[in-house]
């Protein structure tokens, strides 16, 4: 089948490459010329495991091409996926729909044949219906330009896997014809038995934001309990493991730590609340404000712990931050919890050096006032406190003895609970972790099975 994918960020670039991998002829569209040039040359414009291989294979096979022209998109195919971003609107909690609307209106003017526009971006409920009217008004083909919603649930770092082997595919459309087209697009995936849920567009839009709200709630829940563990002398990691054995609860997304960040969960729960307010049911989702606040407070609690460990003042203290990306296996620093902490430490006078295996360039652009190092050993030089804030495997593999001579003080905060405190303590480090007040007395052998 022929199709276009409009917007080639983390979602669209992977979707375009994955659709080509399924055998479709795909034209990827983006307004960013540099991004399109990189993709057309088979280069991923961001770090995403598995994407470079997928791009090269499909660009070379001629199934995947790129352009900046919406006119070309309209000429190329009659199925158009919209994958542009819906960031938080400046000065508001609502989603900023400027990119989605610009693509819809920009494309509509060239639509002269019956076609299907399939939105994948995370949007406020009601968007598909609104866009259908907008497009019908502008498009020469009128109402024969149909709109459906097919939300995407991919996680950065596992985007290729999640796109080609998703947990489910949700198609929101009231048109049997549109439903058939979407089924045909995903036919090779559906043939493996992946659940396919057809529903109306509003339900499909809500599935996505509800999923993200639920995931954010799970994370903030366990982090709230971690705070109670600190006060009560209990251990959050053991507690999370014990909870997770209950299949009704499950261990996934119950990892305590520095909380959620990235381009989705935070802005999506805010936009969901804002949309519920507009619909007159804001009270039903008011708990999402607490979820957000617990998450933000978690970052402040790490700064407080750092201050306590440095005898009450951060001013002039050299601190090393391990991790800049919002999560491992990504170079995405949008709303990165680790950089928020690093920035706060800097504001309070600390001399901060941030290390990350992949995200230093992006982090440096966002926070030029911080110090950075791409050399893990050098990053430790002179540190009076080390904070482990993004759980890259590189840090778990690190021999704590090898950097002991480099630091000024062997003090460590493991805010992600993925380092083995026993290993670090055994060679002389003092290790602290939120929600684990008894850490000093926990033998290495008793480490969580989740590690
Ligand atoms: C998320 C959703 O998972 C995905 O379905 C949606 O399409 C987009 O938003 P992503 O932002 O890529 O994906 O990251 P995810 O793996 O979900 O992690 C989000 C954040 O939560 C990260 O900062 C991560 O460190 C944090 N997290 C995750 C926890 O703090 N604890 C957990 O147990 C799990």
């Amino acid at each position: 089948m022929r199709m276009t994918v409009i917007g080639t960020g983390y979602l669209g670039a992977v979707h375009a490459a994955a659709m080509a991998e399924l055998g479709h002829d795909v034209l990827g569209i983006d307004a960013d010329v540099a991004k399109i040039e990189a993709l057309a040359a088979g280069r991923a414009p961001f770090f995403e495991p598995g994407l470079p291989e997928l791009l090269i294979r499909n660009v070379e096979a001629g199934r995947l091409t790129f352009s900046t022209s919406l006119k070309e998109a309209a000429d190329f195919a009659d199925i158009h996926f919209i994958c542009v971003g819906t960031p938080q609107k400046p000065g508001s909690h609502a989603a900023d729909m400027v990119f989605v609307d610009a693509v819809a209106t920009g494309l509509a003017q060239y639509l002269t044949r019956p076609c299907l526009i399939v939105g994948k971006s995370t949007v406020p409920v009601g968007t598909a219906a609104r866009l259908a009217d907008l497009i019908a008004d502008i498009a020469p083909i009128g109402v024969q330009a149909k709109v459906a919603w097919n939300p995407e649930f991919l996680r950065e770092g596992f985007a290729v896997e999640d796109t080609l082997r998703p947990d489910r595919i949700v198609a929101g459309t009231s048109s049997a014809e549109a439903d058939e087209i979407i089924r045909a697009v995903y036919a090779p995936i559906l043939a493996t038995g992946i659940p396919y849920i057809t529903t109306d567009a509003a339900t499909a839009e809500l599935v996505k934001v509800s999923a993200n709200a639920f995931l954010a709630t799970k994370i903030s829940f366990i982090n709230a309990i971690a705070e109670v563990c600190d006060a009560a002398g209990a251990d959050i990691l053991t507690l999370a493991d014990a909870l997770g054995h209950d299949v009704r609860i499950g261990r996934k997304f119950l990892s305590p730590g520095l909380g959620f960040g990235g381009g989705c969960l935070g802005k999506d729960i805010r936009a969901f609340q804002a949309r519920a307010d507009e619909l007159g049911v804001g009270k039903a989702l008011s708990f999402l404000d607490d979820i957000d606040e617990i998450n933000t407070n978690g970052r402040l609690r790490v700064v407080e712990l750092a201050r306590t460990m440095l005898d009450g003042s951060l001013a002039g203290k050299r601190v090393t931050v391990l991790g800049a990306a919002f999560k491992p296996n990504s170079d995405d620093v949008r709303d990165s919890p680790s950089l928020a902490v690093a920035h706060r430490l800097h504001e309070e006078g600390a001399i901060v050096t941030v290390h990350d295996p992949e995200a230093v360039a992006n982090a440096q652009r966002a926070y030029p006032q911080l110090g950075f190092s791409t050399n893990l050993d050098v990053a430790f030089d002179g540190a009076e406190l080390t904070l482990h804030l993004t759980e890259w495997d590189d840090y778990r593999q690190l021999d704590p003895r090898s950097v002991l001579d480099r630091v000024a003080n062997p003090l460590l905060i493991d805010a992600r609970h993925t380092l083995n405190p026993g290993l670090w303590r055994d060679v002389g480090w003092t290790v602290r972790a939120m929600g684990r007040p008894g850490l000093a007395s926990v033998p290495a052998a008793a480490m969580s099975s989740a590690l």
Side-chain angles (χ1 to χ4, degrees):
M1 297 168 80
R2 287 168 78 84
M3 61 196 65
T4 75
V5 175
I6 305 172
T8 57
Y10 288 96
L11 161 58
V14 176
H15 187 65
M19 292 304 100
E21 183 74 6
L22 294 183
H24 300 308
D25 283 325
V26 183
L27 175 65
I29 304 282
D30 202 290
D32 183 335
V33 179
K35 204 183 268 181
I36 285 300
E37 280 173 1
L39 287 164
R43 283 197 314 275
F46 48 82
F47 178 78
E48 183 61 49
L51 180 59
E53 295 86 334
L54 214 60
L55 277 174
I56 290 169
R57 188 160 55 240
N58 288 286
V59 167
E60 280 179 358
R63 284 190 297 267
L64 181 58
T65 51
F66 293 91
S67 164
T68 54
S69 160
L70 286 173
K71 161 109 181 45
E72 216 176 297
D75 292 342
F76 182 85
D78 298 321
I79 305 169
H80 306 284
F81 286 99
I82 298 186
C83 296
V84 291
T86 50
Q88 192 169 329
K89 200 189 270 182
S92 155
H93 276 183
D96 196 339
M97 299 303 290
V98 286
F99 303 114
V100 171
D101 289 5
V103 163
T105 52
L107 178 68
Q109 61 186 312
Y110 302 119
L111 298 175
T112 52
R113 301 185 304 264
C115 63
L116 179 63
I117 295 155
V118 186
K120 290 195 79 66
S121 310
T122 304
V123 291
V125 59
T127 297
R130 184 175 64 79
L131 290 185
D133 289 345
L134 189 69
I135 291 168
D137 277 351
I138 299 170
I141 195 73
V143 291
Q144 290 186 69
K146 302 263 186 261
V147 177
W149 223 261
N150 164 226
E152 179 56 58
F153 302 93
L154 65 80
R155 297 160 298 166
E156 288 176 28
F158 300 91
V160 171
E161 174 71 13
D162 285 352
T163 306
L164 289 172
R165 276 168 287 278
D167 292 334
R168 76 300 212 185
I169 291 173
V170 178
T173 175
S174 43
S175 148
E177 203 186 333
D179 180 56
E180 244 171 65
I181 293 171
I182 296 171
R183 275 180 204 271
V185 168
Y186 294 116
I189 296 176
L190 295 175
T192 65
I194 301 293
Y196 179 84
I197 296 132
T198 316
T199 181
D200 54 86
T203 305
E205 290 163 335
L206 271 180
V207 168
K208 174 59 200 255
V209 284
S210 308
N212 278 359
F214 190 79
L215 294 173
T217 301
K218 247 186 133 175
I219 297 169
S220 278
F221 173 83
I222 202 66
N223 287 334
I225 304 295
E227 202 170 336
V228 180
C229 284
D230 271 329
D235 188 78
I236 192 60
L237 218 50
T238 309
L239 186 148
D241 285 348
L243 282 185
H245 285 298
D246 186 328
V247 289
R248 295 169 303 172
I249 299 173
R251 182 62 173 82
K252 289 186 178 157
F253 267 73
L254 211 58
S255 291
L258 194 47
F260 57 81
C264 295
L265 297 189
K267 65 101 178 161
D268 285 348
I269 59 171
R270 279 168 227 137
F272 195 11
Q273 168 80 74
R275 184 64 181 134
D277 281 341
E278 282 173 10
L279 292 170
V281 287
K283 186 129 188 18
L285 295 190
S286 59
F287 71 95
L288 289 178
D289 283 341
D290 292 335
I291 298 306
D292 206 7
E293 197 181 322
I294 291 166
N295 197 52
T296 309
N297 285 346
R299 301 173 183 189
L300 299 178
R301 290 181 65 224
V302 176
V303 176
E304 280 317 309
L305 181 56
R307 196 200 317 282
T308 307
M309 289 177 79
L310 289 170
D311 303 325
S313 170
L314 292 160
K317 303 281 171 58
R318 300 192 80 86
V319 300
T320 294
V321 165
L322 299 180
F326 84 100
K327 67 171 189 179
N329 299 315
S330 171
D331 65 355
D332 192 349
V333 299
R334 287 176 295 170
D335 192 25
S336 164
S338 61
L339 286 177
V341 170
H343 177 59
R344 188 65 182 244
L345 295 169
H346 167 82
E347 277 190 326
E348 300 212 13
I351 303 157
V352 184
T353 302
V354 182
H355 173 272
D356 193 282
E358 294 293 339
V360 163
N362 286 343
Q364 207 154 18
R365 261 192 297 279
Y367 291 94
Q369 65 275 47
L370 300 178
F372 291 93
S373 173
T374 49
N375 181 312
L376 185 51
D377 292 330
V378 171
F380 279 90
D381 280 345
E384 291 164 83
L385 173 68
T386 301
L387 296 97
H388 175 240
L389 303 185
T390 309
E391 68 277 31
W392 284 93
D393 219 29
D394 304 41
Y395 305 141
R396 210 157 58 86
Q397 307 292 343
L398 183 74
D399 177 358
R401 197 191 311 265
S402 70
V403 288
L404 203 56
D405 289 342
R406 291 186 170 266
V407 298
N409 277 329
L411 294 182
L412 173 75
I413 296 176
D414 179 11
R416 291 293 185 180
H417 305 294
T418 56
L419 304 179
N420 185 332
L423 282 182
W424 289 69
R425 269 202 338 262
D426 286 353
V427 297
W429 289 77
T430 298
V431 184
R432 297 285 300 273
M434 286 114 60
R436 308 198 71 196
L439 192 62
S441 59
V442 178
M447 278 296 293
S448 160
S449 57
L451 293 184

